[in-house]
């Protein structure tokens, strides 16, 4: 068996549970909302979206289930739809950031996405200008 690097994918995956639960807890605490408020808002969002946030026959997300998801020592985790609803309700994307990091990716916000798009457009403009200069040089050489 090969030894992984300290920050390789095996390490990231092994530390995911703890980091993910911590990010849920931190996002919840920063929101200033109670468990009851978060559960109710998540339920309202789920009903509006026509999705289910938990498994089983439960019609609504219980506060007890939410507390289990937030508990560092509980092995139960929210499903992906519930994570998205949770992030929307508490106004934080930290849990999504942790999910992305475990596979070596990074999330970006809308401002960062626009900056990236601008940089890509700038690179395309630069490449087109370079191509234009080459074509102009070829035309000048061909005319002589």
């Amino acid at each position: 068996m090969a030894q992984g690097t300290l920050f390789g994918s095996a390490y990231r995956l092994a530390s995911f549970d703890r980091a993910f639960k911590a990010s849920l807890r931190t996002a919840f605490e920063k929101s200033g909302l109670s468990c009851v408020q978060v559960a109710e808002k998540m339920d309202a969002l789920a009903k509006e979206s026509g999705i289910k946030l938990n498994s089983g026959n439960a019609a609504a997300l219980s506060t007890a289930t939410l507390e289990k998801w937030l508990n560092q020592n509980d092995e139960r985790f929210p499903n992906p739809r519930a994570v998205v609803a949770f992030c929307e309700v508490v106004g934080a994307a930290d849990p999504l950031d942790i999910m992305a990091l475990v596979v070596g990716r990074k999330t970006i916000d809308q401002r960062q996405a626009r900056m990236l798009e601008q940089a890509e457009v700038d690179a395309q403009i630069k490449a087109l200008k370079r191509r234009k200069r080459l074509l102009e040089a070829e035309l000048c050489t061909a005319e002589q």
Side-chain angles (χ1 to χ4, degrees), residues 72-102:
Q72 197 77 31
N73 299 317
D74 194 295
E75 58 189 39
R76 285 168 275 211
F77 285 83
N79 67 48
R81 290 181 301 252
V83 173
V84 171
F86 175 84
C87 290
E88 179 68 25
V89 166
V90 300
D94 300 355
L96 298 175
D97 293 338
I98 296 297
M99 293 173 78
L101 282 173
V102 80

